[in-house]
Amino acid sequence: MKFSILTATYNRAKCLPKLYESLIKNKSNDYEIEWLIMDDGSKDETENLIKDYIAKNEIKIKFFKQQNQGKMTAINNLAQYVTGEIWIECDSDDYFTDGAFDKIKDLYEKNKERKDIYAFAFLKIDQNGNNMGNTFKKEETTMFDLYFKDGGTGEKALAFITEVRKKYRYELEHNERFVTEARMYHKMDENYKMACINEPIMICEYQDEGYTQNIMEQFKKYPFGYYMYFKEILHKNMKGVLFKKRLYAIKHFLLFWYLKNIKK
């Protein structure tokens, strides 16, 4: 089997070595790894660094460049080049734990005949080994149920079934460059679900200039996508949704309605 790792990167040459080394450590005769990289208009040494990695020929690397358009467009543009059965999006400031792909392969082999799974969900940890959020309460769920009904918190690492993931794209509004990944996940939830396991496969090191560290700025810059996201949530069946999550969705819908109207 083959894993396709998709990375959108912008001026992160200092971060990429950890991701590269984690892929090398996970090499195995039991599966292939291909690393698909979209350079989103970097002005640092990213291209030279990746060319050095390609020359070493330790894993298969496909390198592409685009004018700066943002992470979501970069991933959308990489989709056509994915050839693995498993599709994993790994940010340039994240990297894999030792044995990560063995864990994914084992779960995939147990479920490969199923047609109702879109991803295998694992835990993410920080560089100190701390879980970034709580653990899964169920072996199978949807992304919507995980966070809106089951009390899920923090980020998770997803290994998508490529055949399913290729049916979906990140939907951007009004030429914005970012939208929460959850908007696409919720659409996938309508026809599929995730198999969950309380094992970490990814380590995260947030950068000062990253999306997560500057979430309020992202809200102001990209209100249209967030508005559509919360509008779609409020049209869902809210049976079983936690009260605090209903309130959260309503408050944020009103916030982004206001922000998008200011920006018009």
Side-chain angles (χ1 to χ4, degrees):
M1 66 175 296
K2 181 188 288 187
F3 294 92
S4 296
I5 313 305
L6 287 71
T7 299
T9 187
Y10 176 70
N11 290 339
R12 291 284 181 84
K14 64 180 181 180
C15 300
L16 291 169
K18 281 191 176 180
L19 175 49
Y20 173 73
E21 291 298 330
S22 73
L23 293 174
I24 298 304
K25 288 181 181 178
N26 274 286
K27 281 175 58 178
S28 171
N29 292 327
D30 292 334
Y31 45 78
E32 296 179 61
I33 296 174
E34 66 174 6
W35 189 16
L36 311 180
I37 305 163
M38 181 63 78
D39 186 341
D40 190 33
S42 296
K43 296 177 176 62
D44 63 1
E45 289 299 307
T46 293
E47 183 170 2
N48 290 332
L49 179 69
I50 300 304
K51 283 181 177 178
D52 287 343
Y53 292 159
I54 293 173
K56 291 180 180 179
N57 198 32
E58 296 200 64
I59 57 171
K60 186 173 185 179
I61 299 174
K62 299 177 184 177
F63 180 66
F64 306 91
K65 297 172 67 175
Q66 66 178 30
Q67 292 182 340
N68 185 251
Q69 299 174 67
K71 169 184 170 181
M72 271 58 195
T73 297
I75 296 297
N76 284 345
N77 289 340
L78 282 175
Q80 61 187 305
Y81 303 108
V82 173
T83 61
E85 292 95 334
I86 296 293
W87 163 326
I88 306 171
E89 295 168 30
C90 186
D91 290 344
S92 51
D93 54 356
D94 293 350
Y95 53 100
F96 292 96
T97 60
D98 293 350
F101 296 104
D102 291 327
K103 294 175 183 177
I104 302 168
K105 180 178 179 292
D106 288 345
L107 200 54
Y108 172 77
E109 291 295 337
K110 293 175 183 176
N111 293 276
K112 64 182 181 181
E113 301 302 324
R114 295 182 58 177
K115 301 300 182 183
D116 60 338
I117 297 290
Y118 72 82
F120 305 111
F122 295 83
L123 302 179
K124 262 190 177 184
I125 57 176
D126 64 20
Q127 58 267 43
N128 298 314
N130 300 311
N131 186 24
M132 301 187 71
N134 58 8
T135 56
F136 298 107
K137 296 178 181 178
K138 300 176 181 176
E139 292 185 357
E140 295 183 2
T141 188
T142 64
M143 190 63 76
F144 181 79
D145 285 358
L146 175 63
Y147 288 101
F148 283 83
K149 297 181 181 181
D150 303 338
T153 61
E155 290 193 44
K156 310 303 181 202
L158 299 184
F160 294 100
I161 303 295
T162 298
E163 183 180 1
V164 177
R165 177 62 180 82
K166 281 199 171 189
K167 298 176 183 178
Y168 298 85
R169 293 173 61 84
Y170 291 117
E171 297 178 47
L172 297 161
E173 304 290 336
H174 289 250
N175 296 313
E176 291 181 343
R177 297 189 177 192
F178 183 78
V179 65
T180 174
E181 291 94 336
R183 186 181 183 196
M184 182 186 71
Y185 299 160
H186 290 177
K187 288 180 169 57
M188 299 174 86
D189 289 341
E190 294 172 4
N191 297 301
Y192 306 92
K193 53 189 173 182
M194 307 181 300
C196 310
I197 186 167
N198 285 310
E199 294 282 349
I201 62 164
M202 201 176 284
I203 302 169
C204 181
E205 289 188 5
Y206 287 136
Q207 304 301 305
D208 290 340
E209 73 278 12
Y211 284 119
T212 306
Q213 294 292 81
N214 298 282
I215 192 65
M216 293 309 298
E217 286 302 311
Q218 305 308 318
F219 285 174
K220 293 175 185 176
K221 286 172 66 176
Y222 310 123
F224 289 95
Y226 279 107
Y227 168 77
M228 290 302 299
Y229 167 64
F230 284 104
K231 181 180 179 180
E232 289 162 0
I233 286 176
L234 293 178
H235 280 86
K236 288 184 173 292
N237 183 347
M238 295 303 242
K239 183 178 180 180
V241 173
L242 301 171
F243 175 76
K244 65 179 181 179
K245 285 296 185 178
R246 296 187 191 202
L247 188 60
Y248 163 82
I250 294 169
K251 288 170 62 177
H252 280 76
F253 170 77
L254 294 173
L255 169 65
F256 290 111
W257 177 85
Y258 173 73
L259 290 175
K260 80 175 181 66
N261 283 303
I262 286 180
K263 200 167 182 179
K264 278 183 177 178

